[in-house]
């Protein structure tokens, strides 16, 4: 039995468009994942299927070997916060917290109060009257306080200002260290989560392109810079995922192992950051 | 059944019922009094005329329809908090059935207080010219049996309508926002078309077999529901009617379950 969430041969179609094409991977316990992909890659659809809010056309999703679909016990271990508002607009925030705390026996009410105060959230406001930023804040607070083992955050920082994003990341790290559980974060602001996530899942063309640890990915990604001719000569035969030129200076981005050729004096090699790696990987035809 | 969800749904249903009663009071009690005052025709008795037994029964009925039809928010809340579709359906089914039971009990207690004579035993014959509703509550020659039977039938009929709305609502929620609009248009078209279709069906029967065929077909359809037409009226078989209603209730409950298991959370 595989511990964690196992996604097996998942297919999702919207009429003729294939959004997820026979994808299989595992989400392991107590890790923080970054789920990356360009707009329309199928990230939200994938998370909705895992949380049993949407149905797949084919394939299965299991948690610790038991199917998630229509299973109260397994579903209560998964929490998804997405752009879709699932809470009644008429609810006051404090009432909403209270109802959720009523459903989840071990809802962290103290943390909820602490975060509300840190975010300067007015709990007497109605959910439907919140700005985009505060809408995201409320959902993020709930996600951090529910006692689920697998938390899926779809665009959790949508509309949040820099200060509130900082509060959110700090709270995420703090709650993770207090009670390790799995977080799957889907966002387009990769540079901000690069230091938080331990693993990366990249979806491209309806398939899982990469599912590896952040450390291992960054270790095998390089930027080779120097005069164009020498850079091209050195990187010949390597897995070039992208390149940039400025005058006669050229940078080739490599994903994978370097060769044993001697490095020319005019050429420099450095590791690239996650955002650059993602842009180049997903930009490639 | 999910106990925590039950508490949430009960709160939601009580909230809706409160607001329905509030608007009923506003429309059928307060506004008429204001109009009486404005037109100078106010008398002290006007204070008591608005809130009748019909008022309570109607308000409960409207509340029941609203809680059955406006379900999407509660469904989303349940789904987002780790409650399965199956548990949600079971809890909702239990609560709506209990709600129906309460509305029927209230309605029949009022009936028993205000019109106890309707349950008097007069046999199961319903005269052709109906001037009173007595016959609808009179099947046996025993008033207690009549009361129990009419309560049971009323419960089954109300459950039938609620399970129908539940099934319809779940069917509607199976689709995206765009498809839901098309469904609403299709239903409006059907509501207009169905009477014409029935008319056309009987016109066809008349054309094929004359008036006798149309009448015998009508009699046959009614007889399925325990209504046997005779010259001066009709005989009503409450047992057969109850049996039919139980089958329809079970079928509609099954449909609502099936449709419920196919609902997805869409972006609206």
């Amino acid at each position: 039995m595989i511990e964690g969430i196992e996604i097996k041969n998942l297919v999702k179609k919207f009429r003729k468009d294939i959004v997820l094409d026979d994808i299989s991977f595992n989400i392991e316990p107590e890790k923080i994942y970054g789920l990356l992909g360009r707009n329309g890659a199928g990230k939200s659809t994938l998370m909705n299927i895992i949380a049993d809010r949407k149905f797949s056309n084919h394939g299965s999703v299991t948690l610790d070997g038991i199917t998630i679909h229509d299973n109260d016990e397994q579903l209560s271990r998964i929490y998804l916060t997405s752009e879709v508002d699932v809470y009644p607009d008429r609810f006051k925030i404090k009432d909403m917290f209270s109802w959720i705390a009523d459903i989840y026996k071990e809802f962290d009410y103290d943390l909820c109060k602490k975060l509300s105060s840190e975010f300067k959230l007015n709990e007497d406001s109605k959910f439907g009257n919140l700005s985009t930023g505060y809408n995201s804040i409320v959902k993020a607070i709930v996600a951090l306080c529910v006692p689920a083992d697998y938390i899926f955050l779809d665009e959790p920082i949508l509309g949040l200002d820099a200060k509130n994003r900082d509060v959110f990341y700090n709270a995420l790290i703090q709650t993770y260290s207090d009670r390790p559980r799995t977080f799957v974060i889907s966002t387009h602001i990769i540079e901000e989560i690069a230091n938080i996530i331990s693993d990366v899942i990249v979806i491209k063309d309806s398939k899982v392109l990469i599912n590896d640890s952040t450390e291992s990915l960054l270790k095998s990604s390089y930027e080779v810079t120097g005069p164009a001719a020498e850079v091209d000569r050195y990187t010949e035969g390597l897995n070039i995922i992208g390149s940039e030129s400025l005058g006669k200076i050229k940078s080739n981005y490599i994903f994978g192992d370097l060769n044993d050729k001697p490095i020319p004096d005019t050429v420099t090699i450095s590791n690239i950051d996650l955002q650059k790696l993602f842009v180049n990987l997903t930009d490639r035809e | 059944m999910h106990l925590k969800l039950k508490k949430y749904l009960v709160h939601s249903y009580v909230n809706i019922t409160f607001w329905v009663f509030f608007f009923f009071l506003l429309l059928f009690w307060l506004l008429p009094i204001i109009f009486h005052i404005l037109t100078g025709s106010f008398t002290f008795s006007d204070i008591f005329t608005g809130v009748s037994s019909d008022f309570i029964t109607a308000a409960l009925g409207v509340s029941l329809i609203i809680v059955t039809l406006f379900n999407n928010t509660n469904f989303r809340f349940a789904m987002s908090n780790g409650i399965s579709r199956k548990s949600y359906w079971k809890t909702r089914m239990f609560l709506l059935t209990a709600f129906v039971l309460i509305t029927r009990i209230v309605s029949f207690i009022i009936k028993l207080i205000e019109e106890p004579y309707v349950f008097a035993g007069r046999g199961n014959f319903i005269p052709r010219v109906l001037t009173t509703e007595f016959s609808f509550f009179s099947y046996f020659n025993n008033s207690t049996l009549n009361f129990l039977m009419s309560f049971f039938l009323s419960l089954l009929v109300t459950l039938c309508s609620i399970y129908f709305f539940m099934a319809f609502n779940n069917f509607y929620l199976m689709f995206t926002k765009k498809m839901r609009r098309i469904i609403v248009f299709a239903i409006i078209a059907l509501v207009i078309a169905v009477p014409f279709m029935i008319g056309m069906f009987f016109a066809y029967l008349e054309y094929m077999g004359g008036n006798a065929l149309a009448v015998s077909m009508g009699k046959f359809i009614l007889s399925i529901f325990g209504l046997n037409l005779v010259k001066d009226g009709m005989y009503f078989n409450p047992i057969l009617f109850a049996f039919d209603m139980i089958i329809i209730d079970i079928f509609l409950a099954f449909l609502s379950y099936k449709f419920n298991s196919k609902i997805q959370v869409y972006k609206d």
Side-chain angles (χ1 to χ4, degrees), chain A residues 217 219-222 238-239 241 254-259 277:
Chain A
L217 272 179
K219 261 186 186 171
S220 49
S221 319
Y222 306 94
L238 298 178
N239 181 21
I241 54 170
I254 312 296
F255 183 58
D257 294 330
L258 293 176
N259 52 31
L277 175 67

Side-chain angles (χ1 to χ4, degrees), chain A residues 175-194:
Chain A
T175 55
Y176 178 77
S177 60
D178 290 344
R179 192 174 75 83
R181 59 226 199 253
T182 299
F183 285 96
V184 179
I185 308 166
S186 166
T187 180
H188 293 291
I189 307 176
I190 299 164
E191 59 200 11
E192 289 188 3
I193 60 159

Side-chain angles (χ1 to χ4, degrees), chain A residues 81 115 119 135-145 153 156 168:
Chain A
T81 167
L115 290 175
F119 280 115
N135 185 301
S136 299
I137 286 170
V138 169
K139 290 175 187 172
I141 291 175
V142 175
L144 295 178
C145 296
L153 302 162
F168 168 71

Side-chain angles (χ1 to χ4, degrees), chain B:
Chain B
M1 192 168 60
H2 204 288
L3 290 176
K4 300 286 184 187
L5 179 67
K6 195 168 85 178
K7 193 175 162 194
Y8 171 81
L9 287 180
V10 166
H11 176 269
S12 161
Y13 294 169
V14 168
N15 193 30
I16 287 171
T17 310
F18 168 80
W19 284 108
V20 169
F21 268 83
F22 175 79
F23 283 110
F24 262 64
L25 274 175
L26 205 69
L27 274 173
F28 299 110
W29 183 68
L30 194 61
L31 271 181
I33 289 175
I34 291 169
F35 291 150
H36 277 300
I37 292 169
L38 286 176
T39 53
S41 60
F42 179 74
T43 58
F44 186 68
S45 64
D46 290 331
I47 295 172
F48 304 103
T49 50
V51 188
S52 65
S53 56
D54 294 340
F55 171 91
I56 297 169
T57 314
L60 279 174
V62 170
S63 310
L64 192 56
I65 291 167
I66 291 174
V67 298
T68 315
L69 282 178
F70 290 81
N71 164 48
N72 198 14
T73 318
N74 291 339
F75 176 78
R76 281 165 171 246
F77 181 83
M79 284 302 296
S80 60
N81 287 297
I83 294 159
S84 67
R85 288 172 179 80
K86 203 187 285 173
S87 284
Y88 179 76
W89 181 85
K90 279 185 195 168
T91 313
R92 192 163 171 250
M93 193 69 171
F94 172 80
L95 289 178
L96 286 178
T97 307
F99 199 156
V100 167
L101 195 64
I102 291 166
T103 62
R104 291 299 84 205
I105 288 171
V106 170
S107 167
F108 271 74
I109 286 173
I110 291 169
K111 199 106 199 144
L112 204 58
I113 294 166
E114 290 191 339
E115 299 166 316
Y117 45 84
V118 296
F119 303 110
R122 286 186 184 84
N124 61 350
F125 182 68
I126 302 171
R128 182 183 285 271
V129 184
L130 266 182
T131 49
T132 65
E133 58 175 335
F134 299 167
S135 305
F136 288 123
F137 300 90
S138 176
Y139 322 109
F140 311 108
N141 286 322
N142 180 313
S143 54
T144 313
L145 269 181
N146 281 338
F147 175 78
L148 292 175
M149 193 67 197
S150 53
F151 175 76
F152 183 55
L153 291 185
S154 160
L155 186 68
L156 287 176
V157 171
T158 318
L159 280 179
C160 175
S161 58
I162 289 310
Y163 292 171
F164 170 78
F165 283 129
M166 236 178 118
F168 168 72
N169 180 250
N170 289 346
F171 175 76
Y172 176 79
L173 291 178
M174 276 165 54
F175 300 97
T176 56
K177 205 175 179 181
K178 194 178 164 188
M179 267 305 288
R180 287 177 196 171
R181 284 198 199 117
I182 296 169
I183 290 169
V184 169
F185 277 114
I187 285 161
I188 293 170
L190 269 177
V191 167
I192 296 166
V194 163
F196 289 100
M197 284 156 69
I198 294 170
M200 290 294 281
F201 175 64
F202 278 96
Y204 161 77
L205 289 175
E206 278 207 2
Y207 178 74
M208 295 306 289
N211 205 31
L213 183 62
V215 169
S216 60
M217 181 56 83
K219 277 184 173 180
F220 170 71
I221 292 167
L222 286 174
S223 71
I224 296 170
F225 291 95
L227 290 159
N228 289 305
L229 287 174
V230 292
K231 198 181 171 187
D232 303 324
M234 58 180 131
Y235 286 97
F236 180 57
N237 182 348
I239 311 287
L240 185 59
F241 183 75
F243 178 73
D244 287 348
M245 291 316 292
I246 288 170
I247 290 173
I248 293 170
D249 284 351
I250 291 170
F251 175 69
L252 288 172
F254 172 76
L255 270 188
S256 83
Y257 175 76
K258 277 287 161 199
F259 293 150
N260 182 79
S261 65
K262 302 263 183 279
I263 304 174
Q264 301 184 67
V265 178
Y266 291 108
K267 185 162 58 173
D268 288 320

Side-chain angles (χ1 to χ4, degrees), chain A residues 108-159:
Chain A
D108 195 342
Y109 223 109
D110 294 335
L111 178 66
C112 179
K113 288 282 162 203
K114 188 175 155 237
L115 290 175
S116 295
S117 133
E118 277 183 34
F119 280 115
K120 294 185 174 58
L121 174 67
N122 177 11
E123 289 190 27
D124 286 318
S125 309
K126 287 192 174 177
F127 184 68
N129 294 340
L130 294 175
S131 65
T132 312
Y134 270 106
N135 185 301
S136 299
I137 286 170
V138 169
K139 290 175 187 172
I141 291 175
V142 175
L144 295 178
C145 296
V146 289
D149 299 325
Y150 295 83
I151 314 279
F152 291 82
L153 302 162
D154 190 5
E155 296 291 351
I157 49 166
L158 190 73

